[in-house]
Amino acid sequence: MRLGQYSRLMLSAVAAASMPAVAFGQTAPAPVLPIVRGDYRLATYGATIDKLVADFIEKHKLPGLTMAIVQAPYIPRSAGYGKTSLDLDELASTKTMWNVGPVTQAFTAVAVMQLKEMGKLELSDPVSKHVSGLPAAWSRVTILQLMQHSSGIADYRTHLEDSKRYKPQELLDLVRAEPLRFKSGSQVALSATDATLLALVIEQASGMPYRDFVRRNQIERMHLESTMFADDFGARARIDRPASHPGDNQHSRFKSEEPFINPVEPATGYRMVAGQMTRIAPEASSNLFGFGDLWSSAEDISKWDIGLAGSTLVKELADRDVIYMPTKLAGGTMVPAMLGWEFTHHPGFMEVKGDSPGFSSYLSRFTASDELVCVTLLTNKEGVDLTVLARQIAQAYRADLGPGVDQAQMVVQESKYGAADTVSRIRGALTEAKVPVFATVDHAANARGADLQLRPTTVITFGNPKVGTKLMNESQAIGLDLPLRMLVWEDARGRTWVGYPNLDTLADRYGIKDPATIGAMSMFMDGVARRAANVYAY
């Protein structure tokens, strides 16, 4: 959803009720010894992980959610919450499979590097060396540029129809006639077409179907029982859905067939359409070939994630660094992203996330040797940003992994950019949404004026008078916290954070009983923060 749509949504709720170069800290520092792990009191600011998840599910009205946590080499926590179907008696469990959407790109990247190590391709190869019949403008794009999402090739997802099933070449045909969005190698923009072209490169270089190569060299190598593609469900999933089961448990086969005990079964995905949760056919994921067609459990993703830490999947450190380090464009500009992964200034941190037909997914990795925490979250509702929840969970395991802020009071996420760039990106997002900026307060500059020192700390104040007036007519006291504001600050570790008041808490404080307006405002604020903090547009 574009920011302009957020702005219109905020207004409609009222009516209804009345890139320069930056430095990246990706080299993990020496571990802080002794390493202390295994605390059973998993909570942050008094909220347990289960409470954080339960509150998130309730707020976002999710059917179900699954979570797995790595403290390498262990997976100390794996859990399911809620239901995987609104119509059937199917519960989120440790083996439930969810479409992992853009996380699939990480598997595609590993496959490319495996073929490089086999001597089957070079990253400098033009894609036309491996895929024939491409438009002239695409033929000079290199494999590395596809991995960087710096190809400039248009994204076919805007043309997809969920009811149709596309072959890979038909996906390319959707955007074949479109010009490049920018000169290849000069910028970065997320495009599913890049990942699909990589999947076709993998097929040609390996001599086998993309999905077979991933299955043999990652799924089977890591013994991932709950990981497959939709085409595999008939042979490998354990689905017990009898035509009728009046007055009885839907499930019966578990009584006589062991594989149906805690079965490997797919979740049902949903999308909000006209205010209603609408079921999305699992086959729709197959249209995201190489970009979003993989299904897995959170526990399997966590096990695979541990395999990324060493030579199990990609042997050479230099090859792992290609896919787990920021992009360096042809002109020397550094962009904190690579084939779905994004990187912040937290040393060794990386995340991949996004949504797909009926699902939302998130995977983060804290790879410093004294941290080694990874969070996987999957849910069967499309369009849900799991970033903040994942960071809260990580903070429950280790306080310094988060911003050191109670998210019940301020919603915070870490920016991939420095403080100045992040402020600029916020202002750009507000300009695009046609939301006026009333004031920008640079506290660090004010401190310097008083011969004091303060790390970058900037507050941007903005808003829509129609919305603010509506809330103040209900409780004038809320005027103390209006207009809306967003804080950008750099902490002592060099990390940049973006935060804004938790509007649900603010509404409760002032007795505001207008969930539609508060919800629209929260959605708008989240959209601005995401636009400012992330490389990719989600």
Side-chain angles (χ1 to χ4, degrees), residues 50-85:
D50 283 339
K51 177 172 171 47
L52 293 172
V53 172
D55 289 349
F56 188 89
I57 290 174
E58 183 176 356
K59 177 178 179 178
H60 296 276
K61 297 179 171 52
L62 308 181
L65 181 146
T66 187
M67 170 190 67
I69 310 298
V70 167
Q71 287 187 289
Y74 303 102
I75 304 175
R77 190 178 180 96
S78 176
Y81 300 84
K83 302 190 67 173
T84 60
S85 171

Side-chain angles (χ1 to χ4, degrees), residues 1-8 424-437 524 527-528 531 537:
M1 183 179 288
R2 295 185 180 275
L3 283 169
Q5 292 175 292
Y6 282 109
S7 183
R8 290 192 293 274
S424 177
R425 291 171 67 84
I426 291 172
R427 294 181 67 89
L430 293 170
T431 297
E432 181 180 318
K434 295 181 172 56
V435 173
V437 173
F524 177 78
V528 172
R531 177 70 173 273

Side-chain angles (χ1 to χ4, degrees), residues 115 121 130-131 168-169 196-213 289:
L115 286 166
L121 57 78
H130 302 276
V131 183
Q169 288 294 339
T196 294
L197 283 167
L198 286 172
L200 292 172
V201 168
I202 290 165
E203 291 195 332
Q204 193 282 333
S206 68
M208 67 176 68
Y210 161 79
R211 291 166 181 165
D212 288 350
F213 187 83
F289 184 64

Side-chain angles (χ1 to χ4, degrees), residues 76-194:
R77 190 178 180 96
S78 176
Y81 300 84
K83 302 190 67 173
T84 60
S85 171
L86 296 177
D87 305 307
L88 302 170
D89 179 31
E90 295 178 356
L91 307 182
S93 81
T94 55
K95 289 188 176 181
T96 300
M97 295 183 296
W98 317 67
N99 178 228
V100 300
V103 176
T104 305
Q105 296 175 93
F107 284 75
T108 299
V110 167
V112 169
M113 300 313 293
Q114 289 174 334
L115 286 166
K116 176 185 178 296
E117 293 185 340
M118 295 176 189
K120 302 287 188 179
L121 57 78
E122 295 293 336
L123 301 186
S124 59
D125 288 347
V127 63
S128 56
K129 179 177 178 179
H130 302 276
V131 183
S132 61
L134 298 178
W138 301 10
S139 62
R140 295 182 293 275
V141 172
T142 67
I143 291 175
L144 180 59
Q145 287 171 339
L146 293 175
M147 296 178 68
Q148 293 174 336
H149 282 304
S150 69
S151 71
I153 298 172
D155 190 339
Y156 61 69
R157 287 181 295 168
T158 58
H159 302 283
L160 288 178
E161 298 180 30
D162 287 338
S163 60
K164 293 185 177 181
R165 299 294 169 260
Y166 300 83
K167 296 178 181 179
Q169 288 294 339
E170 292 173 332
L171 295 171
L172 302 185
D173 289 343
L174 293 174
V175 293
R176 184 180 297 273
E178 296 186 23
L180 294 181
R181 292 181 288 179
F182 47 80
K183 181 181 177 181
S184 299
S186 66
Q187 299 180 42
V188 167
L190 190 68
S191 173
T193 314
D194 290 340

